[in-house]
Amino acid sequence: MAPLQVYYSGLLFIPESSLIRGVYFKNISWVTMEPKVADVWSSLIQTLEGHTSDVISVVFSPDGKLVASASKDKTVRLWDTSTGKQYGLLEGHTSSVLSVVFSPNGTLVASTSGDKTVRLWDSSTRKQCRLLEGHTHRVLSAMFSPNGKLIASTSEDKTVRLWDTSTGKQYRVLEGHTSGINSAVFSPNGKLIVSASKDKTIRLWDTSTGKQYGLLEGHTSGVQLAVFSPNGTLVASTSCDETVRLWDASTGKQYRVLEGHTDGVDSAVFSSNGKLIASASKDKSVRLWDTSTGKQCGVLEGHTSWVTSAVFSPDGKLLASASRDKTVRLWDTSTGKQCGVLEGHTSVVNSAVFSPNGKLVASASHDNTVRLWDISTAKQYGDLESHTSDVNSAVFSPNGKLVVSASWDNTVRLWDTSTGKQCGLLESHTNHVHSAVFSPNGKLIASASKDKSVRLWDTSTGKQCGVLEGHTSSVNSAVFSPNGKLIASASLDDTVRLWDTSTGKQCGVLEGHTSSVNSAVFSPNGKLIASASLDNTVRLWDTSTGKQCGVLEGHTSWVTSAVFSPDGKLLASASLDNTVRLWDITKKTTIDTLRTHNPIRIMNFSNDGTYLHTSRGVLQLKSSLQSGSNRELPHTLTHSLYVTDQWITCNMKKLLWLPVDYRLSRSALNDTATLLVIGSPSGRVTFIAFDFAALPAAYLQPSAAVTSGKGFLGLVGC
């Protein structure tokens, strides 16, 4: 579709020490600052994109040629591991798909769902071949018998059901548990099933008769998982009671209690020779146990959050663990030392599995992707930390000497821009801090928090000098008036409140919105406030009286941002309906609407009012809409950069393709729109500068959609 642009992108983003870069790369004349890239290739070899919601489960086919992924988007997707291309889209479930598994010969795929069904799919034709109905509640998991003739499914309806894979008919209903069943697994010879339940018990069942063979009691909390050892003689179970327990499969008697975890244990797995067990816990650790003695023989620490699963490589030499800290970690089982961190996911990693040949790891995440990793090249990189949770915003002081950051760790921190060191820790909020801003003179900071308050801080001392209380729900944002005498705060309680900064007293409650208010902004002269809300409107308020003086209606979804032009005559609003609207403040009417493929959450007018800086790039206004005059666009800005999901574009034309880890979370441009800064969910910040005079002439000419007067100039690639 765009071979030349992809070629340039491939060279720009290739690792520094890559042979390809050394042989083929020459300076690209129109790129004056190249993005900083890794020195060597990472272990990530494929990112499998397509799911539109969290990926819950991922599994390799027995021959390792396919990966199946299950998602909350109600689909199962099949992927070719050699190319990363989607091989099949399995649609039919009417609720989230909770698990997926291949049959032993790889010809069938079974998926379970919140829609109470199990579905069987032909992996070669990608078509549904069986619908297994009978459960009366969510089906949590399914497992094929070793010979592939039966499927066992578990549900919150307190039953395990056995199904004949050839006919789809129900074969047995295993009843006895008194609460939902988390998992069920066949023994290696297929004669037994072990089930783990929230009722604190494990039960053994005879597959031929459906009768209960043993009741394993001892856990003091719900049992998350139970699995057979490779030879079928032992059962290991994990529980929220912080223990792993070993049971004799022939007698049902407890054999060992493995204690050491300090929080609930989510999963346990035997090594291929059955000599070790690895357990993954909410206490952020993986522990290794000797099955013959029950003694702990390793504590694998390094994850910074809950470990969701662990799995041995086929040869037992490596262990992979998946965590809510967004990483998969590799461990040497003989030494217990970490030998790789697989980083790249931007949300919780639910699971990780080895390919049958042990050379690849596949991971599933809440970031809607499956990633494939080459374990031979895994490398670890360091992090600089101070905040202990997500940072929601960072803002420069008016003189540029300080930065203030607001975080979910309940703190606001001040940083010296000359040294990069923390120079203030502002503590007293009792919940997440959503935003923090400087007053116009830089002497005060206002922070808005989920604890329902706005707090004022003295920047010179770091001490709290006011608590603004009155909101009845989380405060989303706070902003100073141009003269610094007032603060406006926007809240989930559907109101905007005005506060006197000198006294800290409330001087107005602006009521009228019918849903949460995302943000509020003062007009340049301070006489008006515009508030953006989840009720799809922007409302205008008179700051002297607190009365509503206008409702700007037209958006069909939440309004995320509103901003006044420098002369106060226009207002721009952005919405999740993928539009930006320009409003005439006097007439309270829309004077232009632009539709985009991507919601814009942050924007500001340029100082001369000729274009908008947004979280995705620059929107250049048509000359007829420029605030205050009909002058021609300034000569220095005859182009616009914009960032879509995968592309940097110039004047509506694709310019550079962005690899997955360089894609946009937020962006910024300098005033001449020649330096683009992209912040990515992966944590990377990328700088790319352009010389537009060196671009082919076709890039500098607006497309027909622009010259015909539709929307803004240079809303690139939308």
Side-chain angles (χ1 to χ4, degrees):
M1 294 174 65
L4 182 60
Q5 292 94 322
V6 173
Y7 174 77
Y8 277 128
S9 301
L11 292 178
L12 270 179
F13 292 102
I14 207 165
E16 289 285 353
S17 60
S18 161
L19 178 62
I20 296 174
R21 176 182 279 268
V23 172
Y24 293 102
F25 186 80
K26 296 179 181 178
N27 289 335
I28 299 172
S29 61
W30 42 270
V31 176
T32 58
M33 181 188 292
E34 298 165 10
K36 182 175 176 57
V37 295
D39 183 55
V40 296
W41 292 105
S42 80
S43 53
L44 180 63
I45 56 174
Q46 297 284 359
T47 300
L48 313 181
E49 297 180 288
H51 283 296
T52 57
S53 190
D54 302 356
V55 183
I56 307 248
S57 172
V58 60
V59 62
F60 282 94
S61 62
D63 61 8
K65 293 181 178 180
L66 294 178
V67 162
S69 55
S71 170
K72 283 186 178 178
D73 67 9
K74 307 176 187 177
T75 71
V76 174
R77 293 174 193 250
L78 298 178
W79 312 86
D80 185 311
T81 56
S82 62
T83 65
K85 289 184 178 179
Q86 185 172 293
Y87 173 74
L89 173 60
L90 313 185
E91 295 180 293
H93 283 295
T94 58
S95 186
S96 297
V97 186
L98 303 177
S99 72
V100 63
V101 62
F102 280 94
S103 61
N105 62 8
T107 59
L108 293 177
V109 174
S111 57
T112 71
S113 170
D115 65 11
K116 308 175 188 177
T117 70
V118 180
R119 293 175 193 250
L120 290 182
W121 314 83
D122 186 306
S123 61
S124 60
T125 65
R126 284 88 78 190
K127 291 183 179 179
Q128 182 177 300
C129 54
R130 298 281 185 270
L131 174 60
L132 314 183
E133 295 180 293
H135 282 295
T136 58
H137 215 296
R138 293 196 312 162
V139 188
L140 300 178
S141 69
M143 177 67 70
F144 284 91
S145 61
N147 62 10
K149 293 182 178 181
L150 294 178
I151 288 177
S153 57
T154 69
S155 170
E156 289 183 346
D157 67 8
K158 308 175 189 177
T159 69
V160 178
R161 294 176 190 249
L162 296 181
W163 313 84
D164 186 309
T165 57
S166 61
T167 65
K169 290 184 179 179
Q170 188 170 282
Y171 173 69
R172 295 272 187 257
V173 181
L174 312 183
E175 295 179 292
H177 283 294
T178 58
S179 192
I181 303 171
N182 290 320
S183 70
V185 178
F186 285 92
S187 61
N189 62 11
K191 293 182 178 181
L192 296 178
I193 287 175
V194 64
S195 57
S197 171
K198 294 174 183 175
D199 66 9
K200 307 178 187 177
T201 71
I202 301 110
R203 294 174 192 249
L204 289 170
W205 312 85
D206 186 307
T207 55
S208 61
T209 64
K211 291 183 179 180
Q212 185 174 295
Y213 174 77
L215 174 61
L216 316 184
E217 295 180 295
H219 282 295
T220 58
S221 190
V223 186
Q224 302 292 97
L225 179 76
V227 291
F228 283 97
S229 61
N231 62 9
T233 60
L234 294 178
V235 169
S237 59
T238 68
S239 170
C240 294
D241 66 9
E242 304 177 6
T243 69
V244 179
R245 294 176 189 247
L246 293 180
W247 313 81
D248 187 308
S250 61
T251 65
K253 291 184 179 180
Q254 187 170 286
Y255 174 67
R256 302 271 187 228
V257 181
L258 313 183
E259 295 179 294
H261 283 295
T262 57
D263 207 334
V265 187
D266 271 358
S267 71
V269 61
F270 284 92
S271 61
S272 55
N273 61 11
K275 293 182 178 180
L276 292 178
I277 289 176
S279 55
S281 170
K282 293 183 177 70
D283 68 9
K284 308 177 188 178
S285 76
V286 177
R287 293 176 190 248
L288 294 177
W289 313 84
D290 185 306
T291 55
S292 62
T293 65
K295 291 184 179 179
Q296 185 174 288
C297 52
V299 182
L300 314 184
E301 294 178 300
H303 283 295
T304 58
S305 188
W306 180 346
V307 186
T308 53
S309 70
V311 61
F312 284 96
S313 61
D315 63 7
K317 293 181 179 180
L318 291 178
L319 185 94
S321 55
S323 169
R324 290 197 170 191
D325 66 9
K326 308 176 187 178
T327 69
V328 176
R329 293 176 191 252
L330 296 177
W331 312 84
D332 184 312
T333 56
S334 62
T335 65
K337 290 184 179 179
Q338 185 173 288
C339 53
V341 182
L342 311 184
E343 297 178 291
H345 280 297
T346 58
S347 190
V348 174
V349 184
N350 291 315
S351 66
V353 292
F354 281 92
S355 61
N357 63 9
K359 293 181 178 180
L360 299 178
V361 167
S363 54
S365 170
H366 283 333
D367 67 8
N368 306 351
T369 69
V370 177
R371 295 182 188 236
L372 296 181
W373 312 84
D374 183 332
I375 64 171
S376 64
T377 59
K379 292 186 179 294
Q380 183 176 359
Y381 298 92
D383 293 311
L384 302 177
E385 297 180 272
S386 183
H387 281 295
T388 57
S389 190
D390 296 6
V391 181
N392 293 316
S393 70
V395 179
F396 282 94
S397 61
N399 62 11
K401 294 182 178 180
L402 296 174
V403 166
V404 63
S405 57
S407 170
W408 278 16
D409 66 8
N410 304 355
T411 71
V412 178
R413 294 174 193 251
L414 279 176
W415 312 84
D416 186 310
T417 57
S418 62
T419 65
K421 291 183 178 179
Q422 183 176 298
C423 57
L425 173 59
L426 315 184
E427 297 178 293
S428 72
H429 280 296
T430 58
N431 211 324
H432 305 336
V433 186
H434 291 138
S435 68
V437 292
F438 286 94
S439 60
N441 62 11
K443 294 182 178 180
L444 293 177
I445 290 171
S447 55
S449 171
K450 195 175 180 179
D451 68 8
K452 307 177 188 178
S453 75
V454 177
R455 295 177 189 249
L456 294 179
W457 312 83
D458 185 308
T459 56
S460 62
T461 65
K463 291 184 178 179
Q464 184 175 290
C465 53
V467 182
L468 314 183
E469 295 178 299
H471 283 294
T472 58
S473 190
S474 176
V475 186
N476 291 324
S477 68
V479 62
F480 285 91
S481 61
N483 62 11
K485 294 182 178 180
L486 294 176
I487 287 175
S489 55
S491 170
L492 283 178
D493 66 11
D494 306 349
T495 71
V496 177
R497 295 178 188 245
L498 290 178
W499 313 84
D500 185 309
T501 55
S502 62
T503 64
K505 291 184 178 178
Q506 184 174 289
C507 52
V509 182
L510 314 185
E511 297 179 293
H513 282 295
T514 58
S515 190
S516 172
V517 186
N518 285 324
S519 66
V521 61
F522 285 91
S523 61
N525 61 12
K527 293 182 178 180
L528 292 177
I529 287 175
S531 54
S533 170
L534 270 60
D535 66 10
N536 304 352
T537 71
V538 178
R539 295 178 189 248
L540 298 176
W541 313 84
D542 185 309
T543 55
S544 61
T545 65
K547 291 184 178 179
Q548 185 174 289
C549 54
V551 182
L552 310 183
E553 297 179 292
H555 284 297
T556 58
S557 187
W558 300 352
V559 185
T560 55
S561 176
V563 60
F564 286 95
S565 60
D567 62 6
K569 294 181 180 180
L570 299 179
L571 184 117
S573 59
S575 167
L576 293 187
D577 65 11
N578 293 353
T579 68
V580 173
R581 289 179 178 252
L582 267 187
W583 308 84
D584 183 305
I585 292 302
T586 304
K587 297 178 180 179
K588 317 294 190 297
T589 57
T590 302
I591 57 176
D592 199 31
T593 303
L594 179 75
R595 299 193 179 278
T596 73
H597 290 163
N598 311 102
I600 291 170
R601 297 179 180 273
I602 300 172
M603 60 183 180
N604 283 292
F605 276 91
S606 62
N607 291 334
D608 60 6
T610 58
Y611 55 93
L612 286 165
H613 278 293
T614 80
S615 54
R616 285 190 172 268
V618 166
L619 309 186
Q620 189 169 316
L621 305 185
K622 293 187 298 187
S623 59
S624 60
L625 296 178
Q626 291 173 35
S627 175
S629 80
N630 290 320
R631 64 188 181 279
E632 288 301 313
L633 294 173
H635 180 70
T636 56
L637 189 64
T638 57
H639 54 268
S640 292
L641 288 176
Y642 197 76
V643 186
T644 65
D645 286 338
Q646 297 185 26
W647 288 91
I648 298 171
T649 52
C650 177
N651 290 336
M652 287 191 172
K653 298 177 179 68
K654 293 176 178 177
L655 185 60
L656 283 175
W657 178 80
L658 292 171
V660 172
D661 287 344
Y662 294 85
R663 290 181 190 166
L664 176 138
S665 171
R666 290 286 188 271
S667 71
L669 287 118
N670 62 348
D671 285 340
T672 58
T674 56
L675 174 62
L676 176 65
V677 184
I678 298 175
S680 302
S682 63
R684 181 179 278 105
V685 178
T686 303
F687 294 79
I688 310 177
F690 299 90
D691 177 3
F692 290 93
L695 272 175
Y699 274 102
L700 302 181
Q701 298 171 0
S703 73
V706 173
T707 55
S708 64
K710 295 180 181 177
F712 302 92
L713 288 176
L715 229 196
V716 186
C718 291

